[in-house]
Structure formats: C-alpha cells, structure tokens
Amino acid sequence: MFRSLILLFVTLLAVPATAQEVYRFGNDAYMAGDNVTLSGDAVDDVFIIGNTVVISAPVEGSAHAGGRSVSISVPVGQNLYAAGMNVNVAGSVGGDAQLAGDTVLIGNAVGGDLRVAAQRVEINGPVGDSALVAAGNIMLTDVIAGDASFAVDDISFGDNARIEGKLFLYADDPDAIAIPAYVIPAERIERHSADEFDANADPDGGATLDRSSYGWGAWLGDKITSILILTALASLIAAVSPAFLLALRLRTLETPVRALWMGFLTISALAGSLFLFALTGFGILLIPASIVLAVLLGIAGYVIGTYLLGVGVLSAVNRPLPETLTERAIAAFVGAVAITVLAMIPFIGWFATLAIAVTGAGALIIRWFAPGFYTEVR
C-alpha cells in the first residue's frame, strides 16, 4: 500500500495544473492560483494558497492561508493560520491566530491566543488570551489580557497598550529594553537573555530554559535514550525483514552515491509536489498526505541509514557481516552510537547526518522500485 501511494504521488508530479482554481465541498472552500480572492457568501473553513491572497468572504470556521501577500479583511469565527511575506489581519479572529511572515499587521481583536514569528509585528487589536511573539521589531497599541512572551530586538508601545498578565522578555540585552509602567508594572516583568528561550519548556514560565535541571547528567541521559530508541527501531526492522534488509544493505554498500542521489530526488519530489498540488486546486486535499509521506520516508531513511552505517563501521574493523539477530542488534547499536557522535561534530555533523538519512531513504526507493537512468528493460 505504501509503495502504491508513493507511485501515485510521484506520477501526479507530471499532471499539469488544469483544474479549476476554486473547489467547494461541504461549505468549505479550497482555492489556489496566482492572485486569489475569496468573496461572496460566508464559508465554514477555507484553505487558500497563491501569490496574492485576499479573504473577503466571512469565515465561520477556521482559515488557512499562504502566499507572498495575505490579507484577511473579514471576521474569522474560529482559528486563523496564515503565512506570507506580508500578512495583514484586518478582521477579528474568534479563536487563536498563528501567523508568520516578514511583516505581520494585526488590526482587530484576537479572541484566543496569538502566536507570531516575523521581522516586524504590529498588534493594534486586543488579544483575549496570551501572546507569544518572536520578531525583530514589535509595536503594541492595545491590550493583551493574558501573559505575553516577547523575543525581540526593539519594542514600542501606544498610549493604550496594556499587558494584564506577566511579560517574559527575551533579548540579547534585555535590561536595555524600556517597558513603560503604564503597560505593565516592573514586578510583573521577567527579563531573560535570548538564548534562555526554549519552546519545549513550561509555557507558564514563558518557555524559559531551566538550566538548573539540565546539566551533564541530563544531557548524557538524553543521548543514551536516543541511542537506545534508534537501536531498538533498527533491530526491529532487521528482525522482521532480514532478507529485505540484507539485499538493501548489499546494494547500498556497493553504490552509496546512487542511493544518496535517489533519496535526494525522491524526497525533493515529495516536497516539491506541495506547490503543484496547490496549483491544481483540488490537489490541496493531497498536501497533508504528501507531507506525511515525505516525513515517513525521512524517518525510515534515518533508521535504515543508521543500521547501514553500523554495518559499514563493523566491516571497516574486519568484522563479518551480521547474520544472526544478535549480530544485527550489535550493528544497529554501533550505527546509533556512530551517528549520535557524528551529529555532535560542529559544522559538518549536521550535513553528514542528513546525508546518511537521505542515503537510507534512497536505498529503500532503489530496493522497492529499482529506478535507473539509461537502462534497458528486458
């Protein structure tokens, strides 16, 4: 089934974008094109992508928009997800708003949480809950009802700006950023250096890294855990499909460059299909599946590449190829340790780890489909 899906998606890459730009189903709107405008009667949910995107029809549910320029001039009943070079939200948002771009302008109320990543952000409407903003420049002119977490270089405030909860401020020099007392009292401000921000930390603490609980012991524990998990996954594959993995291993060790090239091509094709699917209009429905396939192929490639690395290391020290389950588990463990150590090398470690994962993905594709260039099929 997985093999059939990959063939389907790669085949669709050759389909021209001839479908209509607007597709409506179940009171939802799916739109794609160059300059795209949603107008007319209200819709439930909207999924829209293009160069210039304008939403001018009321959205009763959630809105998902992406493009170079994105403008929302009408109310969104539930959540808003938008990304673009310029994002302008002039309508109110009933739920949460998650926005990303170079310049993000918010000119109306956000009923729930606000999350923004941009170079320049203006918040000119009230925020009903918390605000998490990372930007070079922030301007706040209205009220944030909950806590605020700002990672910023420069910030300015209007006369009506207020933060009713706590302010967690992250900057290269947090003490140099002045916060007027009418915005928030000094006792409710926590200032941190920029490198103390941790998106995985407790959000109630402003997502601040707790260095006291993360020392060498915790770091070493994380590395050991990742090695054991990777070893278990690779050993499981070796136990379930030993013949498949043997053939894959022999082919890859013979032609590692070809495996790297095929992995790069396949993952690039799956990632590049997002744009083509968007152009077909109805193909927007297939974008999540394409993303899932690319992620699964990457994960599988990483695990398989780790095992192949372990076999290669053992072969380099004149150990025989693993034949028993115990020997395969040892190869998986050696590969997991090797790739973990490799990833810690500055500059080149990340690229080497990526190359191993892509090679593993390519080995999988070669084993399944046996693609080739300038070959004769008999």
Side-chain angles (χ1 to χ4, degrees):
M1 180 63 181
F2 185 67
R3 174 176 177 172
S4 301
L5 285 174
I6 292 181
L7 283 174
L8 170 64
F9 283 107
V10 174
T11 302
L12 283 175
L13 294 178
V15 178
T18 57
Q20 62 180 2
E21 293 182 349
V22 181
Y23 177 68
R24 293 178 180 267
F25 179 77
N27 202 33
D28 295 336
Y30 303 86
M31 305 181 67
D34 186 11
N35 299 310
V36 187
T37 299
L38 174 66
S39 59
D41 296 335
V43 298
D44 186 10
D45 297 332
V46 60
F47 303 83
I48 183 170
I49 188 170
N51 179 38
T52 300
V53 172
V54 176
I55 300 178
S56 58
V59 179
E60 296 173 350
S62 297
H64 310 75
R68 181 182 60 81
S69 176
V70 177
S71 177
I72 299 98
S73 59
V74 291
V76 175
Q78 296 182 15
N79 299 326
L80 170 63
Y81 308 89
M85 181 65 69
N86 299 300
V87 177
N88 185 3
V89 182
S92 62
V93 178
D96 299 337
Q98 302 192 38
L99 314 171
D102 180 74
T103 300
V104 174
L105 306 177
I106 302 159
N108 214 317
V110 175
D113 297 323
L114 173 65
R115 304 179 184 92
V116 185
Q119 175 59 33
R120 184 171 72 92
V121 176
E122 289 189 14
I123 305 174
N124 299 316
V127 177
D129 207 332
S130 63
L132 177 63
V133 182
N137 296 277
I138 299 175
M139 181 174 184
L140 175 65
T141 64
D142 216 306
V143 178
I144 297 175
D147 295 338
S149 180
F150 291 161
V152 64
D153 296 328
D154 181 67
I155 187 169
S156 57
F157 301 92
D159 293 339
N160 297 321
R162 302 286 187 277
I163 299 174
E164 302 295 344
K166 293 182 179 180
L167 171 59
F168 301 89
L169 185 65
Y170 300 87
D172 292 334
D173 187 4
D175 293 329
I177 297 179
I179 308 294
Y182 70 84
V183 175
I184 182 173
E187 60 268 19
R188 285 198 273 120
I189 302 175
E190 291 189 15
R191 299 174 184 266
H192 303 276
S193 63
D195 60 359
E196 290 185 50
F197 181 82
D198 181 10
N200 296 318
D202 183 4
D204 292 334
T208 303
L209 178 64
D210 184 4
R211 298 185 184 276
S212 63
S213 64
Y214 194 85
W216 281 102
W219 177 86
L220 183 60
D222 288 346
K223 296 302 180 185
I224 293 176
T225 300
S226 64
I227 288 173
L228 293 178
I229 292 175
L230 196 53
T231 300
L233 290 174
S235 299
L236 179 62
I237 295 176
V240 172
S241 304
F244 175 84
L245 199 58
L246 173 63
L248 185 149
R249 179 187 67 205
L250 294 176
R251 180 73 62 87
T252 305
L253 294 178
E254 290 174 0
T255 56
V257 176
R258 183 189 178 206
L260 175 64
W261 178 240
M262 290 308 305
F264 176 79
L265 284 180
T266 305
I267 295 177
S268 297
L270 287 171
S273 67
L274 303 181
F275 179 72
L276 184 60
F277 288 158
L279 291 181
T280 63
F282 69 88
I284 294 179
L285 297 171
L286 300 176
I287 287 179
S290 182
I291 294 174
V292 169
L293 282 175
V295 171
L296 289 177
L297 182 60
I299 294 174
Y302 183 70
V303 176
I304 291 172
T306 297
Y307 179 78
L308 296 178
L309 176 63
V311 174
V313 171
L314 292 176
S315 298
V317 295
N318 298 321
R319 292 291 300 271
L321 293 176
E323 299 295 339
T324 66
L325 180 58
T326 300
E327 292 173 343
R328 296 187 188 107
I330 293 174
F333 177 75
V334 171
V337 172
I339 200 169
T340 300
V341 173
L342 187 63
M344 292 187 291
I345 300 176
F347 303 111
I348 66 172
W350 185 86
F351 292 100
T353 302
L354 179 62
I356 292 171
V358 172
T359 300
L364 196 59
I365 295 300
I366 292 173
R367 177 58 183 158
W368 274 344
F369 305 117
F373 298 99
Y374 303 105
T375 58
E376 180 180 356
V377 179
R378 298 183 184 275

